[in-house]
Amino acid sequence: MTIVGTTTTGLVLTAASLRFGDGDSTVLALDNVDLEVPRGELLAIVGPSGAGKSSLLAVAGGLSRPSSGSVFIDGVDVTAMPNRSLAKLRRDKVGFVFQSGNLIPALTARDQLRFVPKITGRPGRDVEELLDAVGMSHRANRRPGQLSGGERQRVGIARALMSSPTLLLVDEPTASLDRKRSHEVVQLLARETHEAGVATIMVTHDHDVLVHCDRVLEMVDGQLHPST
């Protein structure tokens, strides 16, 4: 097991590429990407559809293995890690927040969070404190179908933070929200990133919320560039 970086390192990609297909039909989704995201930083990735943003999240979170290059999560090289070990590291170290919140329909907001320790086998953060932190204490007994889009996103963020992850990956959190709710959700992400010391990557098309991010990069044709 290779260790890289320091205790403040959340994610490091080194010359990471991801290819699909063979021969003339090969698609280069990620092209030799180098990236370091320290704990406590909210990094936004912008770019057109098909630029490789989703592929970046998949590789960063250990959902897809890079075709070449290396991925380090919390200082550990996960590139060639056995599937079972990778699944455990992903469960313990990585939080995912999807566009829809991806909540379990039958569970209340409170029970969405309570379910996490049952999966991880570890106590995790205090459920009531975390619900309060994301402004959802008053809706704790409501199921997803009784919540607005912004409320579901808040619960999704809280659930992702339950296991105190090193790395938080957020996919288009404001896609279905109005301007006010969009700013509230990203401000929440920024606060939790800074206070909990999480390395957070947020993929977004919403340029209005970038003011709340610590750094912005643009993805074009599978490569990352400073945002203009």
Side-chain angles (χ1 to χ4, degrees):
M1 181 172 64
T2 304
I3 307 293
V4 70
T6 68
T7 55
T8 62
T9 300
L11 172 74
V12 177
L13 301 183
T14 304
S17 294
L18 183 64
R19 300 176 183 84
F20 298 106
D22 296 304
D24 293 340
S25 62
T26 298
V27 175
L28 188 58
L30 290 183
D31 185 5
N32 205 40
V33 171
D34 291 318
L35 176 65
E36 181 170 351
V37 187
R39 294 188 183 190
E41 179 182 70
L42 172 55
L43 168 66
I45 305 289
V46 299
S49 298
K53 301 187 300 299
S54 295
S55 295
L56 176 67
L57 290 186
V59 168
L63 295 174
S64 297
R65 296 183 187 271
S67 305
S68 58
S70 300
V71 180
F72 297 84
I73 297 174
D74 203 17
V76 178
D77 187 354
V78 304
T79 312
M81 184 176 283
N83 288 337
R84 180 170 293 186
S85 299
L86 178 57
K88 183 179 186 302
L89 182 140
R90 192 168 56 230
R91 181 193 69 192
D92 295 342
K93 299 289 187 179
V94 186
F96 295 92
V97 182
F98 301 97
Q99 288 187 38
S100 63
N102 206 34
L103 303 178
I104 301 171
L107 297 184
T108 65
R110 179 179 286 112
D111 287 339
Q112 304 281 343
L113 274 62
R114 286 176 172 170
F115 190 60
V116 174
K118 295 179 180 179
I119 297 174
T120 64
R122 297 185 292 116
R125 293 176 61 174
D126 183 275
V127 170
E128 302 306 324
E129 287 183 2
L130 194 46
L131 284 172
D132 183 61
V134 301
M136 287 298 295
S137 293
H138 67 300
R139 306 284 276 173
N141 294 319
R142 301 298 179 91
R143 293 179 172 82
Q146 300 170 305
L147 301 175
S148 69
E151 289 171 336
R152 288 194 294 272
Q153 283 290 12
R154 287 174 178 270
V155 175
I157 292 168
R159 186 179 64 180
L161 291 168
M162 263 298 290
S163 60
S164 299
T166 297
L167 176 64
L168 185 63
L169 302 174
V170 188
D171 185 17
E172 296 286 0
T174 67
S176 60
L177 306 181
D178 61 30
R179 182 183 178 88
K180 180 175 182 293
R181 297 303 180 194
S182 295
H183 281 279
E184 288 177 353
V185 164
V186 179
Q187 284 175 318
L188 167 62
L189 276 172
R191 186 179 73 242
E192 285 296 319
T193 294
H194 299 151
E195 292 182 358
V198 184
T200 301
I201 300 177
M202 177 183 70
V203 163
T204 184
H205 283 96
D206 188 353
H207 286 248
D208 285 345
V209 301
L210 298 180
V211 64
H212 307 298
C213 301
D214 300 304
R215 184 165 50 124
V216 181
L217 295 176
E218 184 174 10
M219 177 152 273
V220 180
D221 296 331
Q223 296 182 327
L224 285 176
H225 305 274
S227 180
T228 57

